[in-house]
PDB file of all heavy atoms in Angstrom:
ATOM      1  N   ASP A  75       3.754  78.096 -61.938  1.00  0.00           N
ATOM      2  CA  ASP A  75       4.522  77.840 -63.159  1.00  0.00           C
ATOM      3  C   ASP A  75       3.607  77.766 -64.380  1.00  0.00           C
ATOM      4  O   ASP A  75       3.939  78.282 -65.451  1.00  0.00           O
ATOM      5  CB  ASP A  75       5.322  76.541 -63.029  1.00  0.00           C
ATOM      6  CG  ASP A  75       6.469  76.659 -62.038  1.00  0.00           C
ATOM      7  OD1 ASP A  75       6.835  77.798 -61.667  1.00  0.00           O
ATOM      8  OD2 ASP A  75       7.006  75.601 -61.624  1.00  0.00           O
ATOM      9  N   ALA A  76       2.453  77.129 -64.229  1.00  0.00           N
ATOM     10  CA  ALA A  76       1.506  77.025 -65.334  1.00  0.00           C
ATOM     11  C   ALA A  76       0.999  78.412 -65.734  1.00  0.00           C
ATOM     12  O   ALA A  76       0.854  78.712 -66.927  1.00  0.00           O
ATOM     13  CB  ALA A  76       0.342  76.119 -64.939  1.00  0.00           C
ATOM     14  N   LYS A  77       0.750  79.267 -64.763  1.00  0.00           N
ATOM     15  CA  LYS A  77       0.299  80.632 -65.062  1.00  0.00           C
ATOM     16  C   LYS A  77       1.381  81.414 -65.799  1.00  0.00           C
ATOM     17  O   LYS A  77       1.089  82.168 -66.728  1.00  0.00           O
ATOM     18  CB  LYS A  77      -0.104  81.351 -63.776  1.00  0.00           C
ATOM     19  CG  LYS A  77      -1.428  80.892 -63.224  1.00  0.00           C
ATOM     20  CD  LYS A  77      -1.801  81.642 -61.963  1.00  0.00           C
ATOM     21  CE  LYS A  77      -3.116  81.127 -61.398  1.00  0.00           C
ATOM     22  NZ  LYS A  77      -3.500  81.805 -60.160  1.00  0.00           N
ATOM     23  N   LYS A  78       2.648  81.237 -65.393  1.00  0.00           N
ATOM     24  CA  LYS A  78       3.755  81.918 -66.079  1.00  0.00           C
ATOM     25  C   LYS A  78       3.847  81.467 -67.527  1.00  0.00           C
ATOM     26  O   LYS A  78       4.035  82.284 -68.435  1.00  0.00           O
ATOM     27  CB  LYS A  78       5.085  81.624 -65.377  1.00  0.00           C
ATOM     28  CG  LYS A  78       5.292  82.363 -64.088  1.00  0.00           C
ATOM     29  CD  LYS A  78       6.646  82.005 -63.489  1.00  0.00           C
ATOM     30  CE  LYS A  78       6.833  82.605 -62.118  1.00  0.00           C
ATOM     31  NZ  LYS A  78       8.103  82.186 -61.508  1.00  0.00           N
ATOM     32  N   LEU A  79       3.714  80.153 -67.747  1.00  0.00           N
ATOM     33  CA  LEU A  79       3.779  79.643 -69.118  1.00  0.00           C
ATOM     34  C   LEU A  79       2.617  80.159 -69.954  1.00  0.00           C
ATOM     35  O   LEU A  79       2.786  80.510 -71.129  1.00  0.00           O
ATOM     36  CB  LEU A  79       3.781  78.108 -69.107  1.00  0.00           C
ATOM     37  CG  LEU A  79       5.068  77.450 -68.630  1.00  0.00           C
ATOM     38  CD1 LEU A  79       4.880  75.944 -68.512  1.00  0.00           C
ATOM     39  CD2 LEU A  79       6.214  77.753 -69.574  1.00  0.00           C
ATOM     40  N   GLU A  80       1.449  80.206 -69.372  1.00  0.00           N
ATOM     41  CA  GLU A  80       0.279  80.713 -70.087  1.00  0.00           C
ATOM     42  C   GLU A  80       0.464  82.184 -70.449  1.00  0.00           C
ATOM     43  O   GLU A  80       0.145  82.609 -71.570  1.00  0.00           O
ATOM     44  CB  GLU A  80      -0.975  80.523 -69.221  1.00  0.00           C
ATOM     45  CG  GLU A  80      -2.274  80.792 -69.929  1.00  0.00           C
ATOM     46  CD  GLU A  80      -2.590  79.767 -70.998  1.00  0.00           C
ATOM     47  OE1 GLU A  80      -2.259  78.584 -70.821  1.00  0.00           O
ATOM     48  OE2 GLU A  80      -3.177  80.175 -72.021  1.00  0.00           O
ATOM     49  N   ALA A  81       1.019  82.967 -69.530  1.00  0.00           N
ATOM     50  CA  ALA A  81       1.262  84.382 -69.799  1.00  0.00           C
ATOM     51  C   ALA A  81       2.305  84.548 -70.904  1.00  0.00           C
ATOM     52  O   ALA A  81       2.152  85.398 -71.797  1.00  0.00           O
ATOM     53  CB  ALA A  81       1.721  85.087 -68.525  1.00  0.00           C
ATOM     54  N   ALA A  82       3.358  83.730 -70.870  1.00  0.00           N
ATOM     55  CA  ALA A  82       4.385  83.796 -71.906  1.00  0.00           C
ATOM     56  C   ALA A  82       3.806  83.417 -73.267  1.00  0.00           C
ATOM     57  O   ALA A  82       4.154  84.013 -74.293  1.00  0.00           O
ATOM     58  CB  ALA A  82       5.551  82.887 -71.555  1.00  0.00           C
ATOM     59  N   LEU A  83       2.901  82.450 -73.275  1.00  0.00           N
ATOM     60  CA  LEU A  83       2.273  82.041 -74.524  1.00  0.00           C
ATOM     61  C   LEU A  83       1.444  83.174 -75.108  1.00  0.00           C
ATOM     62  O   LEU A  83       1.569  83.494 -76.291  1.00  0.00           O
ATOM     63  CB  LEU A  83       1.385  80.809 -74.293  1.00  0.00           C
ATOM     64  CG  LEU A  83       0.535  80.376 -75.479  1.00  0.00           C
ATOM     65  CD1 LEU A  83       1.424  79.840 -76.592  1.00  0.00           C
ATOM     66  CD2 LEU A  83      -0.482  79.355 -75.056  1.00  0.00           C
ATOM     67  N   THR A  84       0.610  83.793 -74.290  1.00  0.00           N
ATOM     68  CA  THR A  84      -0.232  84.862 -74.824  1.00  0.00           C
ATOM     69  C   THR A  84       0.605  86.060 -75.259  1.00  0.00           C
ATOM     70  O   THR A  84       0.261  86.736 -76.225  1.00  0.00           O
ATOM     71  CB  THR A  84      -1.278  85.308 -73.775  1.00  0.00           C
ATOM     72  OG1 THR A  84      -0.613  85.686 -72.574  1.00  0.00           O
ATOM     73  CG2 THR A  84      -2.266  84.196 -73.476  1.00  0.00           C
ATOM     74  N   THR A  85       1.713  86.324 -74.582  1.00  0.00           N
ATOM     75  CA  THR A  85       2.560  87.466 -74.928  1.00  0.00           C
ATOM     76  C   THR A  85       3.328  87.222 -76.224  1.00  0.00           C
ATOM     77  O   THR A  85       3.444  88.115 -77.056  1.00  0.00           O
ATOM     78  CB  THR A  85       3.568  87.746 -73.792  1.00  0.00           C
ATOM     79  OG1 THR A  85       2.850  87.942 -72.583  1.00  0.00           O
ATOM     80  CG2 THR A  85       4.410  88.956 -74.090  1.00  0.00           C
ATOM     81  N   ASN A  86       3.842  86.016 -76.394  1.00  0.00           N
ATOM     82  CA  ASN A  86       4.764  85.750 -77.503  1.00  0.00           C
ATOM     83  C   ASN A  86       4.167  84.962 -78.658  1.00  0.00           C
ATOM     84  O   ASN A  86       4.860  84.711 -79.640  1.00  0.00           O
ATOM     85  CB  ASN A  86       5.990  85.002 -76.974  1.00  0.00           C
ATOM     86  CG  ASN A  86       6.748  85.817 -75.961  1.00  0.00           C
ATOM     87  OD1 ASN A  86       6.915  87.021 -76.127  1.00  0.00           O
ATOM     88  ND2 ASN A  86       7.212  85.177 -74.902  1.00  0.00           N
ATOM     89  N   GLU A  87       2.929  84.571 -78.577  1.00  0.00           N
ATOM     90  CA  GLU A  87       2.339  83.730 -79.616  1.00  0.00           C
ATOM     91  C   GLU A  87       2.389  84.408 -80.984  1.00  0.00           C
ATOM     92  O   GLU A  87       2.822  83.801 -81.971  1.00  0.00           O
ATOM     93  CB  GLU A  87       0.894  83.373 -79.247  1.00  0.00           C
ATOM     94  CG  GLU A  87       0.241  82.438 -80.245  1.00  0.00           C
ATOM     95  CD  GLU A  87      -1.162  82.045 -79.803  1.00  0.00           C
ATOM     96  OE1 GLU A  87      -1.757  82.753 -78.968  1.00  0.00           O
ATOM     97  OE2 GLU A  87      -1.642  81.032 -80.328  1.00  0.00           O
ATOM     98  N   ASP A  88       1.994  85.650 -81.072  1.00  0.00           N
ATOM     99  CA  ASP A  88       1.981  86.355 -82.358  1.00  0.00           C
ATOM    100  C   ASP A  88       3.386  86.485 -82.924  1.00  0.00           C
ATOM    101  O   ASP A  88       3.607  86.316 -84.125  1.00  0.00           O
ATOM    102  CB  ASP A  88       1.344  87.737 -82.198  1.00  0.00           C
ATOM    103  CG  ASP A  88      -0.141  87.645 -81.856  1.00  0.00           C
ATOM    104  OD1 ASP A  88      -0.766  86.623 -82.227  1.00  0.00           O
ATOM    105  OD2 ASP A  88      -0.650  88.583 -81.217  1.00  0.00           O
ATOM    106  N   LYS A  89       4.354  86.786 -82.053  1.00  0.00           N
ATOM    107  CA  LYS A  89       5.743  86.940 -82.506  1.00  0.00           C
ATOM    108  C   LYS A  89       6.291  85.639 -83.074  1.00  0.00           C
ATOM    109  O   LYS A  89       6.962  85.627 -84.110  1.00  0.00           O
ATOM    110  CB  LYS A  89       6.637  87.393 -81.351  1.00  0.00           C
ATOM    111  CG  LYS A  89       6.334  88.773 -80.822  1.00  0.00           C
ATOM    112  CD  LYS A  89       7.225  89.074 -79.631  1.00  0.00           C
ATOM    113  CE  LYS A  89       6.795  90.342 -78.926  1.00  0.00           C
ATOM    114  NZ  LYS A  89       7.556  90.580 -77.706  1.00  0.00           N
ATOM    115  N   VAL A  90       6.005  84.531 -82.404  1.00  0.00           N
ATOM    116  CA  VAL A  90       6.520  83.229 -82.843  1.00  0.00           C
ATOM    117  C   VAL A  90       5.873  82.818 -84.160  1.00  0.00           C
ATOM    118  O   VAL A  90       6.562  82.356 -85.084  1.00  0.00           O
ATOM    119  CB  VAL A  90       6.280  82.152 -81.750  1.00  0.00           C
ATOM    120  CG1 VAL A  90       6.605  80.756 -82.266  1.00  0.00           C
ATOM    121  CG2 VAL A  90       7.106  82.451 -80.512  1.00  0.00           C
ATOM    122  N   VAL A  91       4.581  83.020 -84.301  1.00  0.00           N
ATOM    123  CA  VAL A  91       3.901  82.667 -85.546  1.00  0.00           C
ATOM    124  C   VAL A  91       4.442  83.519 -86.687  1.00  0.00           C
ATOM    125  O   VAL A  91       4.708  83.016 -87.790  1.00  0.00           O
ATOM    126  CB  VAL A  91       2.364  82.829 -85.398  1.00  0.00           C
ATOM    127  CG1 VAL A  91       1.668  82.729 -86.737  1.00  0.00           C
ATOM    128  CG2 VAL A  91       1.825  81.786 -84.434  1.00  0.00           C
ATOM    129  N   GLU A  92       4.642  84.795 -86.442  1.00  0.00           N
ATOM    130  CA  GLU A  92       5.181  85.688 -87.465  1.00  0.00           C
ATOM    131  C   GLU A  92       6.598  85.253 -87.869  1.00  0.00           C
ATOM    132  O   GLU A  92       6.943  85.240 -89.056  1.00  0.00           O
ATOM    133  CB  GLU A  92       5.203  87.117 -86.914  1.00  0.00           C
ATOM    134  CG  GLU A  92       5.471  88.179 -87.959  1.00  0.00           C
ATOM    135  CD  GLU A  92       5.362  89.571 -87.350  1.00  0.00           C
ATOM    136  OE1 GLU A  92       4.357  89.842 -86.663  1.00  0.00           O
ATOM    137  OE2 GLU A  92       6.295  90.357 -87.568  1.00  0.00           O
ATOM    138  N   TRP A  93       7.406  84.898 -86.905  1.00  0.00           N
ATOM    139  CA  TRP A  93       8.784  84.465 -87.170  1.00  0.00           C
ATOM    140  C   TRP A  93       8.782  83.191 -88.007  1.00  0.00           C
ATOM    141  O   TRP A  93       9.529  83.075 -88.976  1.00  0.00           O
ATOM    142  CB  TRP A  93       9.507  84.253 -85.832  1.00  0.00           C
ATOM    143  CG  TRP A  93      10.882  83.692 -85.957  1.00  0.00           C
ATOM    144  CD1 TRP A  93      11.998  84.309 -86.437  1.00  0.00           C
ATOM    145  CD2 TRP A  93      11.303  82.375 -85.598  1.00  0.00           C
ATOM    146  NE1 TRP A  93      13.086  83.491 -86.383  1.00  0.00           N
ATOM    147  CE2 TRP A  93      12.670  82.260 -85.864  1.00  0.00           C
ATOM    148  CE3 TRP A  93      10.653  81.279 -85.057  1.00  0.00           C
ATOM    149  CZ2 TRP A  93      13.406  81.113 -85.622  1.00  0.00           C
ATOM    150  CZ3 TRP A  93      11.381  80.139 -84.802  1.00  0.00           C
ATOM    151  CH2 TRP A  93      12.739  80.062 -85.097  1.00  0.00           C
ATOM    152  N   LEU A  94       7.944  82.216 -87.627  1.00  0.00           N
ATOM    153  CA  LEU A  94       7.873  80.960 -88.381  1.00  0.00           C
ATOM    154  C   LEU A  94       7.365  81.194 -89.803  1.00  0.00           C
ATOM    155  O   LEU A  94       7.887  80.604 -90.758  1.00  0.00           O
ATOM    156  CB  LEU A  94       6.964  79.958 -87.661  1.00  0.00           C
ATOM    157  CG  LEU A  94       7.549  79.305 -86.413  1.00  0.00           C
ATOM    158  CD1 LEU A  94       6.487  78.485 -85.704  1.00  0.00           C
ATOM    159  CD2 LEU A  94       8.735  78.430 -86.764  1.00  0.00           C
ATOM    160  N   MET A  95       6.369  82.038 -89.957  1.00  0.00           N
ATOM    161  CA  MET A  95       5.848  82.332 -91.295  1.00  0.00           C
ATOM    162  C   MET A  95       6.923  83.006 -92.142  1.00  0.00           C
ATOM    163  O   MET A  95       7.032  82.739 -93.340  1.00  0.00           O
ATOM    164  CB  MET A  95       4.600  83.218 -91.209  1.00  0.00           C
ATOM    165  CG  MET A  95       3.378  82.514 -90.638  1.00  0.00           C
ATOM    166  SD  MET A  95       2.911  81.047 -91.547  1.00  0.00           S
ATOM    167  CE  MET A  95       2.358  81.748 -93.078  1.00  0.00           C
TER     168      MET A  95
END
Side-chain angles (χ1 to χ4, degrees):
D75 290 345
K77 285 181 182 179
K78 285 181 186 176
L79 287 173
E80 190 68 35
L83 173 68
T84 55
T85 304
N86 298 319
E87 183 177 20
D88 293 334
K89 294 177 190 174
V90 171
V91 169
E92 192 175 311
W93 175 71
L94 285 173
M95 290 303 292

